[in-house]
Amino acid sequence: MLKLKTVKTLAIASAIAVGAATGALAFPDKPIEYIIPFGPGGESDISARFQQPFFKDKFGQDLVVSYKPGGGGAVGWAQLNSMNADGYTIMGINLPHIVIQPAQKDVGYTTDDINAFYMFHYTPDAIVVTADSPYQTLEDFVADAKANPGSVTMSGSGKATANHLAQIRFDKMAGITTTYVPFKGTGASTTANLGNQVKAQWGYTTVGAAQGDAVRMLAVAMEERHPLFPDVPTFKELGYDMVGGAYRGMAVPKDTPDDVVKALSDAFGQVNADEAFRKQMLDGGFALLDVGVEEMDAFMEARKAEYIEAATEAGLLN
């Protein structure tokens, strides 16, 4: 698994050649359209909105957020490579979506069609229970699941999602059998947990940030404890090698020139290195990543192998 690392200070050249015959043009020299392939209000939208003012401050241009929802992101991703490939159109991407969707069926794109240039954060998986739950610790949860196979019900956001794959992986690691109950989105999954429709939730650290004292997280899937939740152990601390969640980043059309892709990667890396941006993200329950274009192939191959293995074992792929 990818280890979280200190985000290094990045510098971006003030200008690069972008094909002008009579001289180099500054990049960016106009607003960039930032397409979110979901509706407004979700975590993809929230984190893009966090990036906007920092990008404007550093580069003098706006990130203009727009939406192209449908098919759990597939509608947007299937159209990405037909869009203008000059660097002024970028699109949000999500894992495990862009791996699992095309592995399950024809959705109009393949994982290799996605020209990812930066992954900037993830929402770490977490087992979340209500504040009055009898599960005080992860050990309590595992003990009940072992004693009563299948009786521990867990809400989560959708099927073959980060939540669902986390449930599959953890059940295997812990030698337990839980029952996953999919809901349409994290909000609905959280409501089910708070309403005691299930015994626990596969959620994220962002659920803990949003719900506060109403919930208790038993463990988080991070290399180190989240600074917002210093009393919540990691799965690794408790003996389970589990780090991950819902990853988010950006991609461009495949024909975008390499120098422009590199400039975009460096620019968003500079935003990610800003301490004020980092604090805003951490306060929201997110965890930061710094995966630029040079590291992207190795990062994607590791995630792809992990997701396909879990989904295959669970019978989620045709």
Side-chain angles (χ1 to χ4, degrees):
M1 288 300 299
L2 179 77
K3 292 187 176 180
L4 290 177
K5 61 184 181 179
T6 302
V7 177
K8 55 186 178 291
T9 302
L10 296 167
I12 182 171
S14 61
I16 65 171
V18 292
T22 58
L25 296 176
F27 181 86
D29 68 344
K30 63 181 181 179
I32 293 176
E33 184 179 15
Y34 190 166
I35 303 169
I36 303 299
F38 304 99
E43 290 180 345
S44 294
D45 182 32
I46 291 169
S47 53
R49 296 292 182 181
F50 283 173
Q51 290 172 310
Q52 280 181 307
F54 292 92
F55 192 92
K56 173 77 170 182
D57 179 66
K58 295 178 186 303
F59 306 107
Q61 298 296 337
D62 290 313
L63 292 177
V64 181
V65 174
S66 62
Y67 307 97
K68 191 178 286 292
V75 169
W77 297 320
Q79 296 178 32
L80 177 59
N81 285 336
S82 67
M83 295 178 180
N84 198 341
D86 61 358
Y88 291 98
T89 299
I90 66 175
M91 186 176 289
I93 55 172
N94 295 52
L95 289 168
H97 303 56
I98 61 172
V99 170
I100 296 299
Q101 286 181 354
Q104 288 185 309
K105 60 182 179 181
D106 182 1
V107 288
Y109 75 93
T110 68
T111 303
D112 291 341
D113 287 335
I114 304 298
N115 187 14
F117 67 85
Y118 202 83
M119 300 296 291
F120 71 107
H121 82 275
Y122 74 108
T123 42
D125 291 315
I127 293 180
V128 185
V129 297
T130 56
D132 60 356
S133 169
Y135 303 139
Q136 295 293 319
T137 65
L138 186 64
E139 289 81 357
D140 294 339
F141 170 87
V142 170
D144 188 24
K146 284 185 175 179
N148 302 286
S151 71
V152 175
T153 53
M154 303 190 71
S155 63
S157 176
K159 293 182 178 179
T161 58
N163 288 162
H164 196 183
L165 295 180
Q167 181 255 352
I168 293 165
R169 290 180 61 215
F170 185 71
D171 276 14
K172 182 179 179 181
M173 288 181 186
I176 60 177
T177 300
T178 60
T179 299
Y180 182 81
V181 183
F183 287 83
K184 191 174 182 179
T186 300
S189 169
T190 300
T191 298
N193 186 34
L194 293 174
N196 295 315
Q197 297 175 41
V198 292
K199 290 187 175 181
Q201 175 188 12
W202 270 108
Y204 304 111
T205 47
T206 48
V207 175
Q211 299 302 320
D213 292 340
V215 299
R216 176 168 57 252
M217 291 189 294
L218 302 182
V220 297
M222 300 178 64
E223 290 286 351
E224 299 176 355
R225 295 189 181 196
H226 196 291
L228 199 61
F229 310 105
D231 297 328
V232 180
T234 66
F235 284 98
K236 292 190 78 168
E237 285 180 64
L238 302 175
Y240 304 99
D241 188 11
M242 187 164 175
V243 177
Y247 294 87
R248 296 183 182 87
M250 293 81 67
V252 288
K254 270 198 165 181
D255 292 337
T256 305
D258 289 345
D259 55 357
V260 175
V261 176
K262 179 64 165 61
L264 284 166
S265 177
D266 289 350
F268 281 96
Q270 190 167 338
V271 171
N272 234 40
D274 190 293
E275 288 302 321
F277 176 77
R278 292 170 61 79
K279 183 178 187 305
Q280 189 173 21
M281 292 290 286
L282 290 171
D283 286 349
F286 298 103
L288 288 160
L289 293 176
D290 176 33
V291 183
V293 66
E294 298 95 340
E295 302 164 293
M296 190 60 67
D297 286 348
F299 175 83
M300 288 295 298
E301 284 303 311
R303 302 290 79 69
K304 185 174 180 179
E306 172 189 315
Y307 297 144
I308 294 299
E309 178 182 1
T312 300
E313 289 182 357
L316 298 175
L317 304 182
N318 296 329

